[in-house]
Amino acid sequence: VQLQASGGGYVQAGGSLRLSCAPSRTRNINTIGSMNWYRQAPGKERELVASIARGGGITYADSVRGRFTISRDNAKKTVSLQMNSLKSEDTAVYYCNFAFVMGPGVWGRGTLVTVSS
């Protein structure tokens, strides 16, 4: 299965974007555990932005808490990230990731978010 992230783009500081991630198929894939969003800014390591567990438990990076909201649709096997009050430091390539209950996880190719100050 492959993941496709969408919704990235260019926005001014203070603006909003919504990222979405969907698998290439919804049948015959392993049971999904957590659905996650990571990001990697130029010259920096990839970092976890937000994670939503199978049961709904949510974790946010301190830098985005209160501004970003992660959600998942278990029926459609999709995950979204609503990003509000964007800052220039949010500029990065955003990657979605599915961690399966069994077996290795899978990554999307990434979608670029650029926030101008």
Side-chain angles (χ1 to χ4, degrees), residues 61-75:
D62 289 342
S63 59
V64 307
R65 187 176 293 111
R67 301 187 296 122
F68 290 11
T69 302
I70 190 171
S71 59
R72 66 188 279 169
D73 185 324
N74 287 326

Side-chain angles (χ1 to χ4, degrees), residues 23 25-27 29 32 35 72-78:
R25 66 178 191 273
T26 58
R27 294 186 175 185
I29 65 174
I32 301 170
M35 294 180 174
R72 66 188 279 169
D73 185 324
N74 287 326
K76 297 180 180 179
K77 297 180 173 60
T78 58

